[in-house]
Amino acid sequence: MSPAQPATHPTNRPKPLHESIGVQLTWRCNAECAFCGTWSGPANRATMDLAVLERLVESLAGARPRLKHVELTGGEPFVVPDLLRAAGRLLHGVGLPYTIVTNGFWARDDKEVARWAGELPGLQRFVVSTDRWHRSYVPESRVVALLRGCASSGIEGFLSYSYARDEEPGLALLDPEVRAALESGPLLGWHFCPAVDVGRARRDCVEEVPASQADGPCHVLGNMMVRPDGRVFACCVAGSYFSGGAAMEALSVGRADEPEGEERWRARFLSSPLIEGLRERGPLAMLRERGIVAEAETFTSQCGACAKLQLCSASELNDVDAFSAPP
């Protein structure tokens, strides 16, 4: 596939509904990547309170066995190590396996990876993010150490690469040592996804974002996401999409610390005409149905089309709640 052609992004890949949920422990990060979808960086101090995390895990425990997995992400979870340890302990205590998404800055060697694996009971896998933007902040030697540490510790390791418009997705994009590390054990895997025009990318590097498939149903809505402030959104980018991190408010479904939380979030998710339309037809089809965009108008991604949909009046979306515009 040539990167000039529309790529298939995870938004277009079907997922089981609500078998997994993402938890953004913090928006702090040692890096400040130009394409970051959550506006994370050293100056973004938003971090989840321990009390909110405890209530959240209590709610998620009540969703078993339908809920099977939790993804701990950020920002960078390893810049809040005590909260990360607490999250691992709480999730393990209720029998929920979890993944940690990280840029790997902390992985000096495989012994450091083994130490952390021992401190995080119930950890299923590490997902390490690397690409042209992350390389400015995290040397590839740390990515190699993390992957090799996973292989030697018996933890699943997965490399996630967000490629740019001028890059051909594939292992040739990786440093030879990274490729060798990926091939060092059966528990390691990888994928290549196009960068998307969300968050900071819309301001700082939109010209580097490749075109991805914009039409069709949105499958990212299969998993909800909890922001550091405890607000729950119907997808992974809705909580921080617009300029400066403003939310797609119409996709908010609740708070992490409300009673019977997960059950209520799911009920709101399933009763929303906006979410139903996005899941069944997709944002581009909904825009065209309402005559908001011409048939020939194109978007770089589904997320870009969805953002335009969020900025419509509430009446255009069958009387769903009003949404906030970017500041």
Side-chain angles (χ1 to χ4, degrees), residues 288-312:
R288 288 170 175 163
E289 288 164 7
R290 288 159 176 77
I292 299 168
V293 300
E295 188 67 28
E297 188 169 348
T298 60
F299 289 86
T300 302
S301 69
Q302 274 195 333
C303 295
C306 190
K308 184 158 188 173
L309 189 63
Q310 305 304 308
L311 296 176
C312 300

Side-chain angles (χ1 to χ4, degrees), residues 55-56 58-60 62-63 66 224 253-268:
R55 292 289 299 275
L56 170 63
E58 180 182 346
S59 180
L60 298 182
R66 176 183 48 78
M224 292 184 283
V253 294
R255 288 197 51 84
D257 50 2
E258 65 181 301
E260 300 175 344
E262 198 276 343
E263 184 177 341
R264 293 189 177 191
W265 315 329
R266 187 159 41 90
R268 294 174 189 137

Side-chain angles (χ1 to χ4, degrees), residues 106 109-118 123-124 126 145-157 187-188:
W106 51 274
D109 51 42
D110 56 357
K111 292 180 181 178
E112 184 77 357
V113 178
R115 181 180 72 81
W116 270 105
L123 174 65
Q124 186 175 66
F126 282 116
L146 179 50
L147 293 171
R148 288 180 175 165
C150 288
S152 61
S153 300
I155 298 290
E156 293 180 25
L187 295 177
L188 304 180

Side-chain angles (χ1 to χ4, degrees), residues 9-309:
H9 192 266
T11 49
N12 306 101
R13 298 170 188 165
K15 298 177 181 178
L17 186 63
H18 297 158
E19 283 193 359
S20 180
I21 190 167
V23 180
Q24 294 169 328
L25 292 176
T26 184
W27 283 340
R28 288 177 55 194
C29 190
N30 62 299
E32 195 168 11
C33 298
F35 84 124
C36 182
T38 58
W39 298 83
S40 296
N44 192 338
R45 312 298 290 180
T47 299
M48 186 172 288
D49 289 340
L50 179 59
V52 173
L53 176 63
E54 291 171 340
R55 292 289 299 275
L56 170 63
V57 174
E58 180 182 346
S59 180
L60 298 182
R64 297 292 310 272
R66 176 183 48 78
L67 180 68
K68 295 179 171 59
H69 183 262
V70 176
E71 182 176 273
L72 301 176
T73 183
E76 171 53 55
F78 279 88
V79 302
V80 287
D82 291 342
L83 187 65
L84 179 59
R85 291 186 187 96
R89 182 181 68 252
L90 290 166
L91 290 169
H92 182 60
V94 298
L96 275 169
Y98 57 96
T99 288
I100 297 174
V101 181
T102 177
N103 62 36
F105 80 96
W106 51 274
R108 294 188 294 269
D109 51 42
D110 56 357
K111 292 180 181 178
E112 184 77 357
V113 178
R115 181 180 72 81
W116 270 105
E119 293 183 19
L120 294 164
L123 174 65
Q124 186 175 66
R125 73 176 62 85
F126 282 116
V127 172
V128 57
S129 300
T130 187
D131 42 61
R132 71 181 343 165
W133 297 283
H134 281 95
R135 286 181 188 135
S136 299
Y137 299 93
V138 181
E140 291 191 319
S141 60
R142 302 295 174 95
V143 176
V144 171
L146 179 50
L147 293 171
R148 288 180 175 165
C150 288
S152 61
S153 300
I155 298 290
E156 293 180 25
F158 199 84
L159 182 141
S160 178
Y161 191 107
S162 296
Y163 64 87
R165 182 175 298 182
D166 61 352
E167 293 180 319
E168 181 76 35
L171 291 176
L173 281 176
L174 305 179
D175 179 88
E177 288 194 16
V178 176
R179 293 201 303 269
L182 280 174
E183 296 166 354
S184 66
L187 295 177
L188 304 180
W190 60 88
H191 71 188
F192 295 85
C193 291
V196 180
D197 55 335
V198 303
R200 194 181 288 132
R202 292 177 64 83
R203 185 192 70 185
D204 292 351
C205 64
V206 71
E207 71 284 350
E208 296 182 73
V209 173
S212 58
Q213 181 184 345
D215 217 341
C218 176
H219 297 293
V220 162
L221 289 164
N223 296 334
M224 292 184 283
M225 179 68 74
V226 187
R227 298 194 329 176
D229 64 0
R231 294 184 65 195
V232 185
F233 285 80
C235 81
C236 58
V237 301
S240 57
Y241 181 89
F242 290 123
S243 176
M248 292 182 177
E249 293 291 346
L251 294 180
S252 175
V253 294
R255 288 197 51 84
D257 50 2
E258 65 181 301
E260 300 175 344
E262 198 276 343
E263 184 177 341
R264 293 189 177 191
W265 315 329
R266 187 159 41 90
R268 294 174 189 137
F269 181 104
L270 294 173
S271 64
S272 165
L274 169 60
I275 293 174
E276 180 182 12
L278 292 171
R279 289 184 60 228
E280 293 186 353
R281 306 189 302 285
L284 193 51
M286 295 177 72
L287 286 167
R288 288 170 175 163
E289 288 164 7
R290 288 159 176 77
I292 299 168
V293 300
E295 188 67 28
E297 188 169 348
T298 60
F299 289 86
T300 302
S301 69
Q302 274 195 333
C303 295
C306 190
K308 184 158 188 173
L309 189 63

